[in-house]
Amino acid sequence: MPIADFSGQEPSIRPEAPRTHTPSPPPPTQPLPDPPQPPRSAAEPAAYPDPRHGPRTRADACPGALQVHEAADGALARVRVPGGAISAAQLRELAACATELGSGVIELTSRANVQVRGLRSPDAFAARIAAAGLLPSAAHERVRNIVASPFGGRGPGGVLDPQPLVDALDRALCADPHLAALPGRFLFAVDDGTGDVSGLGADVTYVPGHGLLLAGADGTLPADARTAPTLMTAAAAAFLTERTQDGRAAWRLAELPDGATRLAARLGLPLTDQPPPGSGTGVRRGGVVRQGDKRVALEVLVPLGRLDGAQALAIADVADTGALVRLTPWRSVVLLDLDPGAAEDAARALGEAGLVTDPASPWAGVSACTGRPGCAKSLADVREDARRWVATLDAPPPTPVHWSGCERRCGLPRGQVTQIVATRDGYTVTGERHTTTAAHPQPPAPGDPHTLATSDERAAATSGGHQERHS
């Protein structure tokens, strides 16, 4: 297998995939869009909160392993995985729980967490998850939202293994009863210096050599790896105090007027205006990546972020050889510390299980919300339609593409994204309907500039499908 250059993770550096002819798909059961090829100009990160919505008036309803959501297909439980770090034994138990108690599928989320749908016994699921070490504090189960750079400082540009800091932060969160009141949307991030997660808009982000970034881009507090866990929990506590004084039900720091300035004042620290490194956006591609220690990492794309039991077990088998598993905020899986020969074997085995390690796969950058039948609000089985659409491609889309079952557009990635949204009579692309026939409405032809949309257009409301979102 060819070894990919680490810089290929960002489309601004990686050579663009050539535009190629797309064959006509077989007759669809629902109208299928032509493959969109939007412009490649940079997009501004989304602004929060969405100006179309006023201040929050209720607590967030994010599900957890104990506080489940009753979706259209049954109970949904979400399990937090700080830093995306999960063991082979934990993967096997999740796969067993999904098969024996739920729908048989483990869903990866945009915060590197996991969720299982269609649970027949949520209590049994919670008990087994706790026994597997995935529920260290019942009171804090919904607030352990910590994303981290999945390559763990091992690639070019990486200067810090974030996992020890993630573990320290998680312990500090769970040790403070007051922090159990954090909203389920409040997000921490730990970057390894490459800038891959610093652009995800987390409420509090540690970037080595940079400090604590607040609200994604609103200012930076001085910090180093030694002081970061304490300062990050102090910032979270200050957020709770400030939102209480405001009488607001804010879910995110950016929803508090002058939130970053007020937190800095409460903590007694100077706030500097430094632009955040990196973007946290772009198309993720599978494949082998060189580490700095002559070993390699393998990024594995999970089509539509859904792992069946056999696929989860295949990943666990690779972990048994000594690889470390990291779930990513892009709904992929990274396997660290592999010998090159072992990476070849792993790629072959995972490919046979239906996972993707080819950097040229059309699955790169394609995502979808829950859709039918899991979400009662959805107007289409978007995942099935997305699968049939990807089958017509022979190269990755040049820009991430997200399929949504309704105008809520849940699970929409940050940054420049082509949006394909279901309506009652077909699909639209970025809100403009293009109809070729009454029975089969079609979006714009490839290259139409109106196919481009950015994530600041999405609604901030909670979805009945409960896809994790950055808002």
Side-chain angles (χ1 to χ4, degrees):
M1 171 183 295
I3 297 180
D5 185 85
F6 188 83
S7 64
Q9 299 301 322
E10 291 297 333
S12 59
I13 302 174
R14 185 185 184 91
E16 295 173 351
R19 298 191 180 202
T20 55
H21 171 70
T22 299
S24 299
T29 57
Q30 293 190 28
L32 284 178
D34 292 331
Q37 296 192 26
R40 294 157 166 81
S41 58
E44 292 297 319
Y48 297 106
D50 191 307
R52 294 172 294 179
H53 301 270
R56 308 287 188 186
T57 58
R58 61 175 176 81
D60 78 279
C62 284
L66 302 175
Q67 179 180 304
V68 301
H69 167 68
E70 289 298 333
D73 57 350
L76 179 154
R78 182 174 298 153
V79 181
R80 270 61 180 184
V81 185
I86 191 166
S87 69
Q90 289 170 336
L91 267 175
R92 290 195 171 93
E93 183 61 12
L94 274 171
C97 286
T99 301
E100 298 166 17
L101 302 174
S103 67
V105 172
I106 300 168
E107 295 183 339
L108 309 183
T109 79
S110 62
R111 293 183 168 194
N113 295 321
V114 296
Q115 60 189 33
V116 176
R117 310 183 69 90
L119 287 172
R120 294 177 289 280
S121 177
D123 289 344
F125 176 81
R128 291 175 64 170
I129 290 303
L134 289 166
L135 190 60
S137 171
H140 296 80
E141 63 139 351
R142 297 193 316 121
V143 307
R144 301 168 60 238
N145 297 300
I146 310 171
V147 297
S149 299
F151 286 98
R154 291 160 171 79
V159 298
L160 170 78
D161 181 352
Q163 199 57 43
L165 197 155
V166 168
D167 293 340
L169 174 59
D170 189 32
R171 289 192 298 270
L173 276 172
C174 292
D176 189 337
H178 179 56
L179 295 180
L182 281 170
R185 299 289 183 90
F186 196 90
L187 179 63
F188 300 91
V190 182
D191 198 279
D192 67 356
T194 58
D196 56 352
V197 300
S198 64
L200 292 179
D203 297 276
V204 184
T205 302
Y206 175 68
V207 182
H210 188 85
L212 289 191
L213 185 67
L214 298 181
D218 285 354
T220 302
L221 300 177
D224 56 30
R226 180 182 57 84
T227 60
T230 299
L231 285 176
M232 294 174 86
T233 53
F239 164 78
L240 288 175
T241 300
E242 291 294 332
R243 80 166 191 159
T244 299
Q245 289 190 350
D246 264 15
R248 293 171 179 260
W251 300 347
R252 307 295 304 274
L253 176 56
E255 296 172 13
L256 284 180
D258 299 318
T261 300
R262 291 161 61 183
L263 257 63
R266 186 165 290 277
L267 296 172
L269 294 172
L271 185 69
T272 59
D273 184 15
Q274 297 184 47
S279 67
T281 63
V283 174
R284 303 290 293 195
R285 301 182 188 275
V288 175
V289 174
R290 287 189 180 91
Q291 297 183 176
D293 58 1
K294 298 185 179 180
R295 294 182 292 180
V296 300
L298 178 65
E299 183 155 12
V300 183
L301 303 186
V302 180
L304 302 181
R306 291 166 59 85
L307 284 171
D308 63 31
Q311 291 169 337
L313 294 178
I315 294 171
D317 288 345
V318 177
D320 282 339
T321 68
L324 299 178
V325 180
R326 296 292 183 264
L327 311 180
T328 84
W330 303 278
R331 298 183 176 93
S332 61
V333 178
V334 169
L335 297 163
L336 298 171
D337 300 344
L338 290 163
D339 292 328
E344 295 274 359
D345 295 339
R348 188 178 306 110
L350 295 173
E352 291 172 355
L355 299 171
V356 177
T357 59
D358 180 3
S361 169
W363 276 114
V366 179
S367 59
C369 73
T370 296
R372 290 180 179 172
C375 177
K377 295 180 175 65
S378 181
L379 300 173
D381 185 348
V382 291
R383 283 174 165 164
E384 178 58 28
D385 286 346
R387 287 182 185 279
R388 292 188 297 113
W389 178 77
V390 168
T392 72
L393 305 180
D394 50 16
T399 303
V401 176
H402 185 73
W403 290 66
S404 300
C406 72
E407 282 296 335
R408 290 174 177 266
R409 309 184 189 204
C410 297
L412 184 66
R414 289 178 63 86
Q416 181 174 297
V417 181
T418 298
Q419 301 178 37
I420 301 176
V421 183
T423 68
R424 296 193 181 279
D425 55 359
Y427 282 95
T428 65
V429 174
T430 67
E432 297 213 20
R433 183 175 286 106
H434 299 253
T435 305
T436 54
T437 71
H440 297 285
Q442 296 289 332
D448 187 326
H450 294 295
T451 62
L452 182 66
T454 55
S455 60
D456 58 359
E457 296 180 0
R458 72 182 183 273
T462 304
S463 163
H466 274 276
Q467 290 282 315
E468 278 198 323
R469 299 163 63 159
H470 292 291
S471 58

